[in-house]
Amino acid sequence: MSDGDAEIVKEFLVESYENLDRLDRELVGLEKNPDDRDALSSVFRTIHTIKGTCGFLGFNKLEAVAHVGENLLSRLRDRKLILNPEITTALLSMVDAVRQMLSQIETAGQEGERDDSLLIATLTRLQQVPATAAKSEPVPGAESTSEAVASPSSIGEILMRRTGVTPAEILLAAEKQKEGDPRHMGEILVEQGAVRSADLVDALHIQQSSRLQATASDSTIRVDVGLLDKLMNLVGELVLARNQVLQFANRVKDTNFAAASQRLNLITTELQAGVMKTRMQPIGNIWGQFPRTVRDVALGCGKEVGVEMEGKDTELDKTIIEAIKDPLTHLVRNSVDHGIELPEDRVKAGKDRSGRLILRAFHEGGQVNIEISDDGAGLNGERIRKKAVERGVITAEQATRMPEREIFNLIFLPGFSTAEKVTNVSGRGVGMDVVKTNVERIGGTVDVQSTRGQGTTVRVKIPLTLAIIPALVVTCGGDRYAIPQVSLLELVRLEADEVGKGIELVHGAPVYRLRGRLLPLVYLDRELNPVGIKGQGVGHPSTHAGSEGQLFDFAQARAKHQQWLGRLREVLDGNAAMTVQQGGSHTECALGKWLYSIGLKKYGTFPDIHSVEKTHREFHGLVGEILGRKNQGNQAQAEHAFSQLGPLSTKILALLQDLEKKVLDCGSVNIVVLQADGRQFGLVVDEINDTEEIVVKPLRKQLKMVKTFAGSSIMGDGKVALILDVLGLAQRASVVTETRDRALTEKATESAAVAEKQTFLLFAGPGDSRMAIPLSTLARLEEFPVTQVEMSGSQWVTQYRGQILPLVRLNVVLEERRVKQRALQAPPTADSGPIQVLVLNHEGRSFGLVVDRILDIVEDRADVRSPATRASVLYSVVIGDRVTELLDIPAILRSADMSATHPGMLTRSAEVAN
Amino acid sequence: MAQTSQFCTFYLDKLLFGVALKGVQEVMRSLDMTKVPLAPAVVSGLINLRGQIVTAVDLRRRLELEPRPEGMLAMNVVVRSEDGAVSLLVDEIGDVVEVEETTFEPPPETLRGSVRTVILGVHKLNERLMHVLDIEKACQMTEVAEARPQCDSGHRAGSPVN
């Protein structure tokens, strides 16, 4: 074959592979919707094109197979046949055969020795099955040879091809149009009776789609992937160079240079974005073949499986897509073969007959996540454990101790399979370990989670290694680190004086209250230097406020110190007295006390404090001298010494001021709020620099162990900086747990929260106070007209459900004793409104609690409590954001003399409680 | 005609070492390094080599020699390894030597396990011995637990060998 021919063949092959992939999808789709005429037409056209080109290129075997397929499809299209699974399978086999032949052509340059007679026979045989549906008239000579061409045709031509309309009739219609008939050709023909409106609609559809196809194909172009790779590399280098130019531009004050570098900046950014896009492909491209794979495997195993896809448009770099195609295919086959159960078993287990296979793809934290979930039987942890021990992979002892998650991950070991049968599809144990290796080779991770009886999810995470990402540069311990902006939520700066209040300790773990929510804090310097702290751990609770009280009040210290001068003046003037001990000790005055107990320790690294200490000692030494001289009566010398005191004092004040400033500066805290795995946390760093676009260079394999770093990059000044892996850092700092079954954890916290909440009945007590009882103690809420209340001795009672219910008046019971006595004896006043009664059960007896008003029923955790302020109240508690008294029911009953020995009590609470 | 091979040599703590010349990409003076916290101790840091980020391995530490004295700058021998280029930090660069097969001897048994894997053997040069390093093993950063044979440890502990 000549070079020119070789080119043509190459193009033919590339196009045909694409077409075959599309055929797979369409055939599977057709199986579900046999009436999709467009799909059927499209399939027909594709096969027809292949057949045509094969003939042209001299691939006779291919042509023969394609020809038979085309005939079959033609009958389907003409409604002489209806698509059924057998036909679909045969057509898919034809697609496979064509693919194999194309592959043979690709490698050997020719079709090779093949015998497709069986396939041809099957395809021929299937053509003979009679159809049952109505059909349009067989069209004479209407081989739609030209339909395969993508050029848009006129309605008349299309109609001619598809229906029995004759050229004469079309001419007639055209005439009419020329004469001024404003209608479309199609309408005229329908009116003429030459064409049925249904056919017209079909024809219009075809015209539409062929028009669309034309525009689509005209605007795309094929490019060699190697060329794109080269472009990508060059752009990466350009980005680095641009970063350096920008750095220079900042330093050099030249407006022209600045303008030019800005332009360079803009252009580079756009260029980079554009080139990256060229290489990005939606993952849907490889997912497209999965419906077929799933169908085939499912048929083979006798199972029913439906495929759902989420995030088809998630884009990945082409090389990554190539690399994960096979691993994903294997995982999909595995799910169908081993995960999903047989329809009968599923029904027995209460599930739908048809299993669900869900493919999910999304970007998160700078990585692409691909999940393959099924709602099948889940992994059998026990079996895996046993198998692992059998194989000697782990000891029996380890097996018992291993958490389930780790057991599940054993399936990725080579040769591991707990499948009972080895099928053609899987079970040989060569799959999962290959999946893991392939994924890890491109720098990704794979892990599996499963719930017995419910399903399994395999999660593949791939970093976007060839990425130029925007990142925030921070400084910690003198080194620079980059944080991918995608994980960044916000930046918070706490000034030194706010730090004490802002950062709190919960069980020893520092947190920051960010708009009402508690944000766990991670100190980067501590994470990166677990042994020893470089310099002073900036901002860590143990080094500032917190336990040691507020930040030192420098202003007060200065004020106090200034008093010394005044006091000494008084002494010298004879208006006051002071002993040498009192004034001369540098440890006894306020400042001294602070210095030697806390100050030096806390601010020890600041050189200023040492100066303060030294000068302060000198100061007091001098004070002692002054006092000594004075007390000895030596006024002149005392005054002389006093004059030297002034400068010393000023020096101390100045030093204190400097120290204060430095402490404030240093004491301020920078928090970078990050998100990982759906959880937020704050990263405390020394300094926040700026955002830059950086080229991510992956770390060496052996350094990848350090989960805290996602890669490295070269900064604008040529130095290397490490890129933080936010998730890794969070896990290391235990802010995020490793098992990421999100739904499970959400549910757990939900139920935990709910469990702590109690339901209360709120009502108005005496003096309109807010009171409550746990709803669980309430049997019923009732309202009785006053007339129903009777007196039994001094006891209010009412007839309730065939029994006598004693009524306890809360107002009365809670009153002073003497008032109570009188009130107790009073019968109900006739004009009062209906009474609200809470029917309660206590120790097997029922009674009704009369209250003023029933307020509400509220669910609340009710954990903020304080002791009761009056009798018959258990405690005060915050319910529904208001302070509420929780009623002490036994105490109330005792107060109301409702002892167990009181006759006339209802004993069968069960009945009342209905 | 005897088989000869070429080695790039360098000094570590006054000892002479050599690596196959084929595996050496280049030799550089001391370069700025960025530390990698939490990395294995042998990793000194990352270097920017004309836009390529190269990991630096402190060979003294890898070979369990004394740490480099203060003030002595390390030289970089950049070698090609399976997972990309690695820079081996050495004291001084030596010459390129060509040796014959005949002068090669396997490493002595007394060499400690972890070091023995890195040293392939020695070549007896005219004046001195050149220790031959296995580049891949030299670049290895993670700890590999060495299972020591029983008699070895017994011997070392000073207990009588049965």
Side-chain angles (χ1 to χ4, degrees):
Chain A
M1 223 188 291
S2 69
D3 272 344
D5 286 348
E7 263 303 307
I8 297 179
V9 171
K10 190 158 159 241
E11 275 195 36
F12 162 67
L13 286 171
V14 173
E15 273 201 38
S16 301
Y17 278 132
E18 278 186 14
N19 287 337
L20 289 176
D21 284 341
R22 204 176 59 233
L23 265 182
D24 271 344
R25 285 198 298 275
E26 286 175 342
L27 282 171
V28 175
L30 256 183
E31 200 179 18
K32 299 203 164 74
N33 299 319
D35 286 327
D36 188 349
R37 299 217 58 189
D38 285 330
L40 201 42
S41 302
S42 167
V43 170
F44 180 90
R45 271 199 302 276
T46 312
I47 288 295
H48 184 82
T49 313
I50 293 181
K51 185 195 93 172
T53 328
C54 292
F56 171 62
L57 290 174
F59 298 129
N60 299 321
K61 290 204 168 79
L62 247 184
E63 192 191 0
V65 170
H67 183 78
V68 188
E70 188 193 17
N71 285 345
L72 182 52
L73 280 163
S74 167
R75 293 184 78 76
L76 282 168
R77 195 191 47 163
D78 296 341
R79 307 286 184 88
K80 290 206 176 85
L81 280 182
I82 296 295
L83 194 64
N84 61 37
E86 199 192 350
I87 297 183
T88 315
T89 310
L91 285 170
L92 287 172
S93 310
M94 176 195 69
V95 172
D96 286 339
V98 171
R99 218 184 248 123
Q100 279 160 18
M101 279 189 267
L102 288 177
S103 153
Q104 181 69 3
I105 292 172
E106 190 173 13
T107 44
Q110 33 155 333
E111 287 172 303
E113 303 305 308
R114 275 182 71 93
D115 185 13
D116 292 305
S117 41
L118 186 56
L119 176 61
I120 294 179
T122 313
L123 289 168
T124 317
R125 173 177 56 82
L126 287 170
Q127 290 176 37
Q128 301 313 319
V129 177
T132 48
K135 58 230 178 329
S136 50
E137 291 80 42
V139 180
E143 289 281 322
S144 47
T145 38
S146 37
E147 271 198 282
V149 178
S151 56
S153 22
S154 75
I155 264 294
E157 288 173 327
I158 300 178
L159 284 169
M160 251 203 316
R161 279 184 251 134
R162 292 176 62 81
T163 68
V165 111
T166 62
E169 283 167 316
I170 301 227
L171 272 174
L172 197 54
E175 286 284 330
K176 282 223 181 108
Q177 272 188 332
K178 268 204 232 118
E179 285 164 19
D181 190 331
R183 291 175 299 170
H184 291 293
M185 168 75 71
E187 288 177 58
I188 303 178
L189 286 172
V190 170
E191 193 220 24
Q192 278 179 325
V195 158
R196 287 178 316 176
S197 47
D199 291 325
L200 176 61
V201 170
D202 278 343
L204 285 168
H205 268 302
I206 294 190
Q207 191 185 42
Q208 254 266 341
S209 55
S210 63
R211 278 223 186 101
L212 283 176
Q213 257 198 359
T215 40
S217 54
D218 279 342
S219 65
T220 56
I221 185 171
R222 284 187 202 286
V223 177
D224 183 48
V225 176
L227 180 56
L228 285 181
D229 276 343
K230 243 172 61 181
L231 284 180
M232 194 69 223
N233 278 339
L234 288 172
V235 170
E237 299 299 316
L238 182 62
V239 165
L240 290 179
R242 180 232 18 214
N243 287 351
Q244 288 183 314
V245 167
L246 282 183
Q247 287 236 341
F248 284 133
N250 281 339
R251 280 187 256 145
V252 170
K253 302 278 182 242
D254 183 315
T255 40
N256 287 333
F257 184 40
S261 63
Q262 266 304 46
R263 262 209 324 278
L264 174 66
N265 187 14
L266 284 173
I267 297 171
T268 308
T269 312
E270 283 203 42
L271 179 63
Q272 168 202 327
V275 171
M276 277 189 67
K277 263 184 88 124
T278 60
R279 295 180 48 102
M280 299 295 257
Q281 284 196 321
I283 199 171
N285 283 3
I286 35 174
W287 279 3
Q289 48 176 254
F290 286 164
R292 160 115 198 244
T293 312
V294 167
R295 176 197 181 274
D296 289 344
V297 176
L299 267 186
C301 313
K303 302 188 182 160
E304 295 170 24
V305 183
V307 179
E308 289 164 45
M309 302 189 202
E310 282 172 31
K312 266 204 312 238
D313 296 326
T314 310
E315 292 195 325
L316 297 178
D317 186 81
K318 184 155 173 55
T319 41
I320 297 181
I321 289 199
E322 290 302 312
I324 56 164
K325 199 156 88 153
D326 284 339
L328 287 185
T329 310
H330 181 85
L331 290 173
V332 165
R333 295 169 79 113
N334 232 29
S335 274
V336 178
D337 195 14
H338 295 297
I340 308 241
E341 318 93 316
L342 290 166
E344 312 86 67
D345 295 332
R346 286 182 67 86
V347 171
K348 262 192 252 161
K351 301 186 192 173
D352 295 330
R353 261 188 86 85
S354 174
R356 283 170 72 201
L357 182 68
I358 307 175
L359 300 168
R360 232 180 254 118
F362 54 94
H363 283 289
E364 188 194 61
Q367 293 193 317
V368 178
N369 292 34
I370 304 172
E371 294 179 0
I372 298 180
S373 304
D374 63 66
D375 67 347
L379 292 175
N380 186 340
E382 270 321 299
R383 252 217 318 242
I384 300 177
R385 236 181 270 253
K386 268 207 327 237
K387 220 20 172 303
V389 174
E390 251 175 56
R391 294 275 170 91
V393 172
I394 50 174
T395 66
E397 208 242 317
Q398 283 174 314
T400 45
R401 276 189 293 130
M402 221 181 243
E404 208 174 45
R405 180 178 48 93
E406 282 182 45
I407 294 276
F408 287 154
N409 281 316
L410 288 176
I411 61 175
F412 293 113
L413 292 171
F416 206 98
S417 172
T418 58
E420 277 156 8
K421 290 188 303 144
V422 168
T423 67
N424 251 353
V425 176
S426 42
R428 253 176 263 126
V430 294
M432 288 311 240
D433 66 312
V434 173
V435 168
K436 185 161 181 205
T437 326
N438 282 357
V439 169
E440 287 183 349
R441 187 173 305 143
I442 51 170
T445 56
V446 59
D447 101 358
V448 63
Q449 277 165 16
S450 174
T451 311
R452 195 104 172 83
Q454 281 180 25
T456 313
T457 300
V458 179
R459 212 174 261 120
V460 174
K461 284 204 290 188
I462 310 165
L464 303 164
T465 45
L466 186 73
I468 303 175
I469 58 170
L472 175 73
V473 180
V474 300
T475 306
C476 182
D479 296 319
R480 275 180 309 179
Y481 300 94
I483 303 177
Q485 208 165 65
V486 65
S487 308
L488 181 66
L489 290 176
E490 63 184 283
L491 298 175
V492 175
R493 181 181 163 90
L494 287 182
E495 300 300 335
D497 51 342
E498 295 170 308
V499 169
K501 290 173 276 150
I503 299 184
E504 303 162 47
L505 289 169
V506 175
H507 290 313
V511 295
Y512 173 67
R513 204 180 281 260
L514 182 68
R515 293 187 293 277
R517 266 207 340 263
L518 290 182
L519 192 74
L521 292 179
V522 174
Y523 286 78
L524 190 58
D525 55 353
R526 294 225 160 171
E527 289 306 315
L528 298 181
N529 296 294
V531 182
I533 304 174
K534 276 181 22 169
Q536 188 118 19
V538 175
H540 196 271
S542 65
T543 59
H544 58 62
S547 49
E548 277 145 7
Q550 292 297 92
L551 188 68
F552 184 63
D553 193 336
F554 282 91
Q556 202 183 52
R558 285 199 300 273
K560 277 233 170 95
H561 182 80
Q562 277 176 308
Q563 285 176 356
W564 274 105
L565 285 178
R567 284 164 71 194
L568 280 175
R569 187 67 255 162
E570 294 284 306
V571 170
L572 283 177
D573 291 342
N575 298 332
M578 200 191 292
T579 64
V580 176
Q581 283 94 323
Q582 277 174 320
S585 162
H586 59 271
T587 47
E588 283 310 303
C589 78
L591 185 55
K593 283 210 182 101
W594 175 78
L595 269 174
Y596 297 112
S597 60
I598 306 174
L600 281 170
K601 268 185 263 165
K602 213 155 119 167
Y603 303 113
T605 52
F606 294 98
D608 284 350
I609 198 144
H610 296 288
S611 306
V612 170
E613 196 254 334
K614 188 159 138 279
T615 319
H616 185 247
R617 226 180 316 148
E618 268 179 53
F619 178 85
H620 278 285
L622 199 52
V623 170
E625 222 185 282
I626 297 173
L627 289 171
R629 306 253 171 91
K630 171 72 185 167
N631 292 346
Q632 281 164 3
N634 206 332
Q635 184 75 11
Q637 282 192 330
E639 292 283 356
H640 175 71
F642 186 69
S643 61
Q644 293 175 334
L645 203 60
L648 261 184
S649 182
T650 316
K651 190 160 160 213
I652 293 183
L653 289 174
L655 283 172
L656 279 177
Q657 210 156 25
D658 274 343
L659 181 65
E660 181 178 16
K661 209 150 65 103
K662 294 223 175 88
V663 165
L664 278 180
D665 232 10
C666 222
S668 66
V669 164
N670 294 300
I671 301 178
V672 181
V673 183
L674 299 170
Q675 178 163 281
D677 195 21
R679 314 273 194 86
Q680 296 180 5
F681 68 97
L683 185 68
V684 178
V685 300
D686 295 358
E687 264 177 62
I688 295 182
N689 305 101
D690 47 1
T691 46
E692 277 183 43
E693 285 202 322
I694 54 173
V695 182
V696 178
K697 302 266 166 111
L699 287 177
R700 234 184 119 75
K701 235 193 330 230
Q702 290 172 344
L703 286 183
K704 280 212 178 77
M705 304 289 180
V706 185
K707 292 267 159 71
T708 323
F709 300 117
S712 55
S713 177
I714 300 183
M715 297 281 109
D717 62 358
K719 292 226 182 86
V720 177
L722 288 162
I723 302 171
L724 295 179
D725 179 332
V726 178
L727 183 61
L729 184 61
Q731 282 174 348
R732 197 196 149 81
S734 306
V735 172
V736 154
T737 51
E738 282 191 40
T739 40
R740 285 172 57 242
D741 198 335
R742 214 172 294 167
L744 260 182
T745 49
E746 276 176 13
K747 238 188 265 172
T749 48
E750 245 182 69
S751 55
V754 165
E756 286 165 29
K757 279 194 181 174
Q758 267 191 290
T759 321
F760 296 92
L761 174 78
L762 296 172
F763 57 91
D768 222 7
S769 56
R770 196 174 149 97
M771 306 191 88
I773 53 169
L775 195 63
S776 47
T777 56
L778 183 73
R780 287 180 73 92
L781 275 178
E782 296 286 355
E783 193 187 89
F784 298 121
V786 136
T787 47
Q788 266 193 282
V789 179
E790 302 171 74
M791 293 292 284
S792 166
S794 55
Q795 178 73 41
W796 281 25
V797 293
T798 185
Q799 288 180 43
Y800 181 64
R801 293 170 155 229
Q803 278 145 2
I804 302 172
L805 182 71
L807 298 173
V808 176
R809 284 163 289 161
L810 200 56
N811 308 17
V812 170
V813 164
L814 289 178
E815 296 264 39
E816 291 274 353
R817 196 164 334 155
R818 39 190 177 77
V819 181
K820 202 183 338 185
Q821 292 292 44
R822 264 181 275 135
L824 264 178
Q825 271 133 30
T829 45
D831 56 353
S832 40
I835 50 174
Q836 314 288 333
V837 174
L838 310 179
V839 181
L840 304 168
N841 297 327
H842 183 72
E843 289 175 1
R845 290 169 285 127
S846 300
F847 65 97
L849 193 66
V850 180
V851 301
D852 287 350
R853 257 186 2 261
I854 295 179
L855 295 174
D856 206 354
I857 295 182
V858 173
E859 215 183 80
D860 199 311
R861 219 170 271 125
D863 42 11
V864 183
R865 299 182 183 175
S866 75
T869 48
R870 54 176 167 174
S872 307
V873 171
L874 277 176
Y875 45 77
S876 292
V877 61
V878 173
I879 296 179
D881 285 345
R882 301 254 314 270
V883 177
T884 313
E885 288 177 295
L886 201 72
L887 205 59
D888 184 347
I889 294 170
I892 294 277
L893 294 183
R894 275 197 305 277
S895 281
D897 291 326
M898 307 275 260
S899 54
T901 56
H902 202 286
M905 290 288 110
L906 290 171
T907 47
R908 288 197 318 251
S909 55
E911 284 165 27
V912 186
N914 277 347
Chain B
M1 182 128 89
Q3 275 273 41
T4 60
S5 30
Q6 291 182 307
F7 286 90
C8 166
T9 63
F10 47 85
Y11 294 89
L12 281 171
D13 201 10
K14 308 274 180 31
L15 298 169
L16 182 67
F17 293 87
V19 285
L21 191 63
K22 285 196 300 274
V24 177
Q25 180 176 303
E26 64 191 276
V27 161
M28 291 277 302
R29 57 175 171 71
S30 172
L31 292 169
D32 268 343
M33 258 192 320
T34 301
K35 289 189 300 303
V36 182
L38 308 177
V42 292
V43 176
S44 297
L46 300 174
I47 303 175
N48 172 6
L49 194 68
R50 294 186 304 278
Q52 199 191 0
I53 297 185
V54 166
T55 317
V57 167
D58 186 344
L59 261 191
R60 275 195 178 225
R61 206 177 275 233
R62 185 77 183 84
L63 294 171
E64 297 180 25
L65 297 167
E66 291 289 311
R68 197 162 288 111
E70 281 279 329
M72 186 192 247
L73 290 175
M75 301 288 281
N76 292 284
V77 175
V78 182
V79 295
R80 294 185 200 94
S81 91
E82 205 191 305
D83 195 22
V86 169
S87 173
L88 303 173
L89 296 180
V90 304
D91 296 354
E92 242 185 271
I93 309 283
D95 299 322
V96 172
V97 298
E98 193 163 331
V99 290
E100 296 182 355
E101 243 179 31
T102 50
T103 51
F104 184 76
E105 290 243 1
E109 290 300 315
T110 47
L111 225 44
R112 279 192 304 290
S114 55
V115 177
R116 199 181 325 142
T117 53
V118 187
I119 297 185
L120 292 171
V122 280
H123 269 283
K124 296 174 292 214
L125 304 182
N126 283 341
E127 313 271 300
R128 46 194 310 174
L129 295 176
M130 177 189 77
H131 304 78
V132 180
L133 289 184
D134 177 331
I135 290 184
E136 274 308 321
K137 293 278 164 43
C139 296
Q140 196 169 4
M141 297 163 198
T142 48
E143 300 296 318
V144 178
E146 294 279 342
R148 297 199 185 157
Q150 268 312 100
C151 59
D152 250 7
S153 44
H155 192 68
R156 218 156 268 126
S159 56
V161 180
N162 290 358

